[in-house]
Amino acid sequence: MFFDIDGTLVPTTSSGSFLAARLGHHEELDDAERRYAAGELTNAEVSVIDARGWRGVDISTVDRWLDDLPLINGIGEVASWCRSHRIEPVLASLAWQPVSRSISRRYGFTVNGGPRVGVSGFVYNGTVAEHFDEYDKRDRALALAVERHVRAQQCCAIGDSRSDVPLFEVLPTSLALNAGPDAQEAASDGMDTQDLTEVIPWLQEWELGLD
């Protein structure tokens, strides 16, 4: 079960914008993310712009800030439901890896990829150590399924934006949650909610279809 982060688990802002506000370059990043959403910039170009703002910041400082990242209600309950039904909840996202690690520590998701800011010692150096786009997101998800000996037909995904479209296109079941038009068109189902527990009936129906 693959979950997007920005716009899905983080409902009111992007995790990048949240961190950029603490780092002091949020206006520049917000403009870059708008241009990405409009198809004017690539994910790699946005990552380079964002990573520059991390230069000289301690890893521990970013981790501490992420404790305050605003998240949708009900994440813990949905992650627990997945595990109780022997379904692995996995983060499939273009958010920076510290964001995925923070959410994973809090709720028990599996971290599966994401871009990385370069590190020198215990400090971010402002470079992109690993780029990660929507096709990497799809490919890493499919690779994890193979590693777990699970067919793609036994997987599903929840997301909200065009970065989820490649993954939605290769899975039989997907949910566009509070989504934009690209994700809505690509997904098999859609829902608007401010409480993630409302997706549990949808997950139950999906699980029944696996039998």
Side-chain angles (χ1 to χ4, degrees):
M1 175 71 236
F2 297 104
F3 292 83
D4 177 53
I5 294 178
D6 290 330
T8 303
L9 300 185
V10 179
T12 59
T13 183
S14 73
S15 59
S17 183
F18 169 84
L19 288 173
R22 304 291 179 99
L23 292 161
H25 66 283
H26 65 284
E27 291 183 359
E28 183 181 15
L29 179 62
D30 286 350
D31 178 67
E33 289 190 333
R34 282 192 294 270
R35 294 174 66 190
Y36 169 76
E40 298 172 5
L41 290 178
T42 67
N43 176 261
E45 289 169 328
V46 175
S47 295
V48 169
I49 291 168
D50 192 7
R52 286 199 298 260
W54 293 53
R55 185 187 302 275
V57 179
D58 290 345
I59 294 172
S60 60
T61 297
V62 172
D63 289 344
R64 187 169 62 252
W65 287 340
L66 285 169
D67 290 338
D68 298 324
L69 180 66
L71 299 171
I72 193 170
N73 294 327
I75 294 177
E77 291 86 345
V78 171
S80 294
W81 182 91
C82 287
R83 290 191 296 271
S84 70
H85 288 252
R86 300 180 65 189
I87 295 167
E88 184 176 5
V90 179
L91 296 174
S93 173
L94 305 191
W96 294 110
Q97 287 189 23
V99 178
S100 295
R101 290 197 303 268
S102 177
I103 295 173
S104 173
R105 284 195 300 269
R106 292 163 71 177
Y107 298 109
F109 287 87
T110 296
V111 176
N112 193 46
R116 289 188 297 114
V117 181
V119 172
S120 298
F122 298 100
V123 176
Y124 291 107
N125 63 22
T127 67
V128 180
E130 180 182 356
H131 285 285
F132 194 89
D133 66 16
E134 59 267 37
Y135 301 103
D136 297 313
K137 176 177 176 174
R138 175 199 63 195
D139 295 346
R140 192 72 63 89
L142 294 176
L144 181 66
V146 170
E147 181 181 320
R148 299 290 198 261
H149 304 289
V150 173
R151 294 178 293 112
Q153 289 75 15
Q154 297 172 291
C155 301
C156 66
I158 297 178
D160 73 290
S161 71
R162 74 181 183 92
S163 72
D164 297 293
V165 170
L167 181 56
F168 284 2
E169 289 177 340
V170 297
L171 299 182
T173 307
S174 54
L175 179 67
L177 184 71
N178 302 323
D182 292 332
Q184 290 179 15
E185 184 176 351
S188 59
D189 296 291
M191 180 187 301
D192 291 334
T193 181
Q194 299 306 309
D195 189 332
L196 196 64
T197 60
E198 293 188 18
V199 310
I200 290 178
W202 179 83
L203 288 170
Q204 290 171 329
E205 184 177 349
W206 165 70
E207 184 188 25
L208 286 172
L210 297 176
D211 295 335

